[in-house]
Amino acid sequence: MTNPAVSAPRIPEEVHRRRWAILGVLMLSLLIVVLDNSILNVAIKTISTPAPIGLGATQSELEWAINAYTLVFAGLLFTAGLLGDRLGRKLVLLGGLAVFGIGSALAAESGSATSLIVFRAVMGLGAAFVMPATLAVLMNVFERDEQPKAIGIWAGGVGLAIAIGPITGGLLLDHFWWGSVFLINVPIVVLAFALMVWLVPDSRDPNPGRIDPVGVVLSVVGLVLLVYGIIKGGQLADFTDAKVLVTIAAGVAVLAGFVVFEKRSDHPSIDITYFKNKVFSAAIGVIALVFFALMGVTFFSVFYTQSVRGYSPLQTGLLMLPLAAAQMIFAPRARLVVDRIGIKATTTGAMLLIAATLAAFASFEADTPIWLLEVVFFLMGTGMAHIMTPTSVVIMQALPREKAGSASALSNTFRQVGGALGIAVLGSVLSASYRSGIEDNLGTLPAGLRDTAGESIEATLGVAAKLGARGEALVTPADNAFLHAMHVTALCGAGIAVMGAVVVALFLPGKPKSGQKGKEEQELVTAVE
């Protein structure tokens, strides 16, 4: 018996004919959102360098420069998805691109770390309206049987952005000032805007939900408090400090209030009933855990390659190429593995592979052969490709086509929240471990300079450079303290990845029997509806 969800065409013929061109435009829009963070990854060391080369940003300011973007992004994603469902995805996409371009231009001219954080938040506002709309449009221009292939290509586009970002950032930093890594977004925005006006059709939910301003405020405030407390704990190397505990507790309390409010609201930002389906919840959860681990590792790997190993930003970008190449190669093909062995086996194996690659960082030293890092990056990208594509298909096909904006927003919200918490938690573990490892070597420095030097390896090396010959004695202890901190942080990330493997092994479905695939898809939709 033929599955009716597959057999009945619902896409206008004119749109169907140009669906692959539309996918290309959507991937270009996605490119700038992902490109921005991957470019920033190789620029964080330069930005932490004192003026005139950089802004002299501390490690906590660097974490905020990244998290200001991701928190605004995550906090507004669901509202952006609902606005796209209500006002039309094309209009929301165009508006998001415009705001992102303006924020990029302003960030490029930042005169301080504080202003950079503010303008990164503006960029996050624009990105929040771009990301969910791209996937929602995709779901409305491809028939259901082509959606897994299209989502695989879409996910491969993320890999392409990750590949282009660090290399582009390295080239720019070799020839221009640090702000050029943001200014490069502007011409891409202009091109994507023009192509979108020409090619992309509009779509909307005929029965859109009402906007939930109280829920938006509660989610953003809760996340900011939680992340602020975590970052502050890492900065102080003391998670028992009263300010840290109170801030984290307040964040958890506000987020708990958010969940209660959403359950009682007749127009919630996040429909809590979606999570009654364990398959849907597991897919969402594992995306958050993957990005938690990955973003934290990316944060410290840049300091490992540049500060400890002495590679330039461009060389660092090239070193990350295997991570992106693996995603580009395997993301569009991951559905073939799922067809052969099922979602559960594919994603469980991929999560264990990621856990192993994270644990491998705990063995890296200052003289570890660099080809081992390349192998680890490639395997990490392979694991990500075999998680992101299958789980994205599960999430996007779990809701009716009309709710594509909501499904995309949920997926991206948990992705960004996971990434923000990964940077905050693992960045704080790195910071606290580094400070405790280096502080015994800073006793001869003045008190004020001692606090500054203990902030991060880049801060220690900056102080050492100012002291001249007297400061040379700090270089080796700084490298050793960072390597120990990286080892501790990597093992924490590996533990998180193992948790993800357990989640998918318990809750994602196994390989369906012959002829049962269409039935299971329909049951998944019915269960969530």
Side-chain angles (χ1 to χ4, degrees), residues 55-355:
L55 294 175
T58 65
Q59 182 155 315
S60 59
E61 286 173 334
L62 289 173
E63 291 176 34
W64 274 115
I66 297 171
N67 281 337
Y69 178 90
T70 54
L71 286 175
V72 172
F73 193 175
L76 295 178
L77 268 170
F78 215 84
T79 296
L82 287 174
L83 283 173
D85 291 344
R86 175 183 289 269
L87 302 177
R89 282 93 185 216
K90 183 174 183 175
L91 177 63
V92 164
L93 261 173
L94 292 172
L97 282 172
V99 172
F100 186 89
I102 292 169
S104 297
L106 293 172
E109 299 299 328
S110 299
S112 66
T114 301
S115 60
L116 175 61
I117 291 168
V118 171
F119 295 137
R120 286 276 297 161
V122 174
M123 294 171 66
L125 173 63
F129 287 85
V130 173
M131 178 72 91
T134 60
L135 204 46
V137 171
L138 182 154
M139 298 300 287
N140 279 275
V141 299
F142 285 92
E143 295 290 353
R144 191 176 183 87
D145 59 335
E146 282 191 322
Q147 286 172 5
K149 181 179 180 181
I151 291 174
I153 295 172
W154 181 89
V158 175
L160 178 63
I162 293 173
I164 294 173
I167 297 170
T168 305
L171 285 168
L172 291 169
L173 291 171
D174 273 3
H175 296 92
F176 304 101
W177 92 115
W178 64 266
S180 61
V181 301
F182 298 110
L183 198 61
I184 191 65
N185 292 333
V186 177
I188 302 175
V189 166
V190 172
L191 176 60
F193 195 98
L195 290 173
M196 194 168 296
V197 170
W198 177 36
L199 283 172
V200 175
D202 201 5
S203 63
R204 66 187 72 201
D205 185 349
N207 299 299
R210 288 159 54 197
I211 304 303
D212 174 26
V214 175
V216 171
V217 171
L218 287 174
S219 63
V220 173
V221 171
L223 284 170
V224 169
L225 286 172
L226 178 62
V227 170
Y228 178 82
I230 293 169
I231 291 176
K232 192 67 177 175
Q235 185 181 2
L236 298 174
D238 182 10
F239 285 91
T240 63
D241 183 88
K243 289 181 181 177
V244 173
L245 291 175
V246 168
T247 307
I248 291 175
V252 171
V254 173
L255 289 174
F258 166 74
V259 172
V260 172
F261 180 83
E262 295 301 285
K263 288 177 72 175
R264 295 179 177 178
S265 174
D266 60 355
H267 58 286
S269 287
I270 296 179
D271 191 338
I272 305 298
T273 60
Y274 293 161
F275 294 93
K276 291 180 180 179
N277 184 278
K278 63 182 181 180
V279 174
F280 182 81
S281 297
I284 286 279
V286 78
I287 282 179
L289 290 174
V290 167
F291 272 79
F292 182 102
L294 181 76
M295 293 298 287
V297 169
T298 303
F299 187 78
F300 70 63
S301 66
V302 171
F303 286 101
Y304 171 68
T305 54
Q306 294 187 40
S307 299
V308 176
R309 302 298 297 260
Y311 289 101
S312 70
L314 175 57
Q315 289 170 326
T316 298
L318 292 170
L319 288 174
M320 290 183 175
L321 196 56
L323 174 67
Q327 289 191 66
M328 291 172 62
I329 293 167
F330 294 113
R333 297 171 174 81
R335 61 191 175 85
L336 303 177
V337 180
V338 172
D339 289 343
R340 180 176 293 270
I341 64 174
I343 290 177
K344 175 182 290 193
T346 301
T347 52
T348 301
M351 284 301 297
L352 290 174
L353 178 60
I354 287 181

Side-chain angles (χ1 to χ4, degrees), residues 277-290 343 347 387-388 390-396 411 414 503-504 507-508:
N277 184 278
K278 63 182 181 180
V279 174
F280 182 81
S281 297
I284 286 279
V286 78
I287 282 179
L289 290 174
V290 167
I343 290 177
T347 52
I387 292 168
M388 297 310 300
T391 53
S392 294
V393 171
V394 167
I395 292 165
M396 294 307 295
S411 173
F414 276 78
V503 169
V504 295
F507 299 112
L508 286 190

